[in-house]
Amino acid sequence: MSKSFLEVDGLCKVYPDGQGGELTVFEDIRFALEKGEFVCIIGHSGCGKSTILNVLAGLDEASAGNVVMNGKEIKGPGLERGVVFQNYSLLPWKTTLNNIVFAVRARWPGWSKEKVKEHSERYLKMVGLDHAMNRKPSQLSGGMRQRVSIARAFATQPELLLLDEPFGALDALTRGVIQDELVKIWEETRQTVFMITHDVDEAILLSDRIFLMSNGPNARIAESVKVDIPHPRARATIFQNPAYHKTRDYLVDFLVNRSGSALPKRDGSPKFIEPAKGVAQSKPASAESETESESDTAARAVNA
Amino acid sequence: MASLNIRAAILSISFLILALGLWEMATQPPEAQTGMTEYEMLMGGADQESRVPPPSAVIKLAWAELSNPFYDAGANDKGIGIQLAYSVYRVLTGYLAAMAIALPVGFLIGMSPLMYKALNPYIQLLRPISPLAWMPLALFIIQDSDASAIFVIFICSIWPMLLNTAFGVANVRQDWVNVARTHELGPLRTAITVILPAAAPTILTGMRISIGIAWLVIVAAEMLVGGTGIGYYVWNEWNNLDLASVIFSILMIGVVGMLLDLALGKAQKLVEYKE
Ligand SMILES: Nc1ncnc2c1ncn2[C@@H]1O[C@H](COP(=O)(O)OP(=O)(O)OP(=O)(O)O)[C@@H](O)[C@H]1O
Ligand SMILES: [Mg+2]
């Protein structure tokens, strides 16, 4: 059996339910990530996504099961795993630049001051914030703060990036802009990313695979859905791809109708689904031209 | 329309003039004794009836004292500057000693629920004790009045610093601690680079309260131990029935207390941050 980059085996989290009993939030979570994959996880609120992510980050402990990365079991947090928190978690007494310097210095203690600064500035530039270098987080908008937080995570070049609803608190417009930025940075770095989101479109735009979680308690990762759309993707044009609609319909159907009852495979690993199978990417002749004309008509109808 | 600051300043000065005027009028000597010398007026009049001196007398005395604040003419006749310096020296010594203990112990209590639970009963028991109640014990054990006064300052300024440090450290946002953890900072680096700056505003608030209490207590402590210091000076002038000096030194106590508070306020501004 070939080992994957990250292997999650039988994770389970139990809390006391407050009445003397126990509440199993999720159980027997099994999945694997390959190097360079971008994977999103979607599920209804409270099913335990953040808890899973925190276990991967080493900030929380599972009640049972284990996580192995690069053949080593994860125990506690580490610099090879970067985390972008939902509330940005910038240190408010440090400037934008120094927040990143803080992380870079922790990652490479041997680096000279100049090298640390130069490296940090490069990543700030990547998210378009080099002009706000010397401002404090309180002087930035929510979107800008989240960009700093993303720059901080990417700057330490972790082997695995963990993002917990990074855009959850942003308005749709800002979210779109930062999604584009994330796509751009990811195309450059091809880091392995595990991200929580509630936004189906966001998941399709960003990920190679999407994990679908059933509802808690006793939640499972029931399905692993392949997003068969070639990179690089762009928010403005992804709608034209027929695979996009198939995948989107599949995800929405799961969340609306099946998340209560869905189960993984017998062995506990998620069912592998290819909703866009048959919508061939390689021969765009029939399928794509058809939908293209469809969306053209739709566009004309809107303009009229 | 003048700015708020200017209007406030005008009003402040008017209040001052009004208050001084009323005070001056209320303390005029009776008609019959207009022929008194200035010295007699200062001493409350030749009729042996002690009276509060008028502000003009206090200002005159203040001028004389402040133009030569550091003269030293023997044990019972030192300039106001020297007396204040003694008091400030005692306050700062006791205060710094308290800081040296309160900050590390506060950190410990704040970071460890176990230590908090173990030490909390003692803190709750010792904290409400009036610092002056320690004085006899201190005098007996230390056998030195100066050091005893410093000890009293130490004991009274330690509690606000200790409790505020513990509270500030215990309530550092978990998110920031998690940032330190995900960046693999060791306990010491976490304490210095994350917890200290995060808790600094709370700690400084405690330090500001402490310096205020220390300055309140030093006057009473010096009245008890005697010898030097502004507290002793006030008591001594009262024994001399020199009320102008008493009033003058009361004002000086206020001024120095205000300056100490101002300094801590500045320091507080430096470590403040907005979330
Ligand atoms: N300390 C705790 N004690 C008891 N139950 C807890 C505790 N912490 C979390 N839970 C429960 O664990 C479950 C999973 O929480 P988690 O934050 O992982 O959900 P989530 O999937 O991230 O939800 P959301 O999408 O709303 O962020 C929730 O139902 C919550 O009630
Ligand atoms: Mg969550």
Side-chain angles (χ1 to χ4, degrees), chain A residues 45-46 48-51 86 164-165 196 198:
Chain A
S45 187
K49 304 178 295 294
S50 295
T51 312
Q86 178 168 7
D164 190 350
E165 287 187 58
I196 299 175
H198 275 125

Side-chain angles (χ1 to χ4, degrees), chain A residues 130-178:
Chain A
D130 40 335
H131 63 92
M133 227 158 53
N134 296 319
R135 283 204 248 162
K136 297 269 172 74
S138 60
Q139 298 163 313
L140 303 178
S141 70
M144 292 161 95
R145 288 185 211 185
Q146 192 54 291
R147 273 138 93 180
V148 177
S149 173
I150 289 171
R152 178 174 68 184
F154 273 91
T156 57
Q157 299 176 349
E159 290 183 65
L160 173 64
L161 251 167
L162 302 163
L163 305 150
D164 190 350
E165 287 187 58
F167 313 129
L170 304 179
D171 63 282
L173 216 60
T174 315
R175 191 187 308 175
V177 174
I178 304 185

Side-chain angles (χ1 to χ4, degrees), chain B residues 153-217:
Chain B
I153 294 305
F154 166 82
I155 205 83
C156 78
S157 49
I158 198 167
W159 308 118
M161 283 199 255
L162 185 68
L163 291 174
N164 268 51
T165 305
F167 182 80
V169 167
N171 287 289
V172 170
R173 286 250 307 265
Q174 189 57 37
D175 298 329
W176 301 334
V177 179
N178 282 345
V179 168
R181 290 177 66 201
T182 54
H183 288 92
E184 285 186 31
L185 299 194
L188 190 66
R189 286 217 32 217
T190 304
I192 293 172
T193 57
V194 176
I195 295 181
L196 186 62
T202 319
I203 296 175
L204 258 292
T205 304
M207 289 174 61
R208 197 170 173 184
I209 296 171
S210 279
I211 199 82
I213 293 178
W215 190 245
L216 290 181
V217 167

